Amino acid sequence: FPNDTELMASFLKIILYVYTDNVLQAELGSKLESAFMTGLRFTDPHLRSKFTEVLKQNVSSDMFERLEALISPHNFNWKLIGPHFWIKQFIEMLLTVNDGQK
């Protein structure tokens, strides 16, 4: 639905619901990874930030563990958003660790 922002937003809200429910995420998470990655680059900043928050919750707050998780092909398939500027999301996820950690 690339040309219908409202329909895409509704679809991504369903995807977000799946990823915030532990049972649904366990069952469907890997099948919906492409849609989740689409949510990370969606044009609506409010909805996009919700996807970012879900991602942050599932990645360690330790800088080195976070880097390892983000570059591991078993955790994130950045190719799913390949033609888009995914490096922005990658860097944001890497640098958003707990404020108290040095």
Side-chain angles (χ1 to χ4, degrees):
F1 331 105
N3 296 328
D4 190 343
T5 306
E6 187 176 322
L7 184 58
M8 180 61 99
S10 297
F11 172 72
L12 290 175
K13 286 177 185 175
I14 294 169
I15 300 302
L16 192 59
Y17 177 78
V18 168
Y19 272 84
T20 55
D21 182 283
N22 291 336
V23 175
L24 291 174
Q25 183 180 8
E27 289 181 32
L28 302 171
S30 64
K31 295 175 184 167
L32 297 173
E33 184 180 8
S34 177
F36 184 84
M37 298 300 268
T38 300
L40 290 173
R41 62 176 172 84
F42 189 56
T43 56
D44 176 15
H46 178 70
L47 190 53
R48 186 176 60 237
S49 70
K50 288 183 178 185
F51 277 89
T52 303
E53 284 303 314
V54 169
L55 190 58
K56 285 179 192 176
Q57 292 171 2
N58 290 307
V59 180
S60 172
S61 62
D62 178 75
M63 176 71 88
F64 296 108
E65 289 177 15
R66 184 171 284 226
L67 176 61
E68 182 179 23
L70 289 172
I71 62 174
S72 170
H74 302 291
N75 294 325
F76 298 100
N77 187 356
W78 294 102
K79 289 181 183 180
L80 294 173
I81 55 175
H84 302 280
F85 192 60
W86 58 267
I87 197 76
K88 177 184 180 289
Q89 284 86 4
F90 179 89
I91 291 171
E92 181 180 322
M93 289 306 304
L94 181 61
L95 296 178
T96 54
V97 293
N98 289 343
D99 292 336
Q101 185 177 351
K102 302 261 180 194

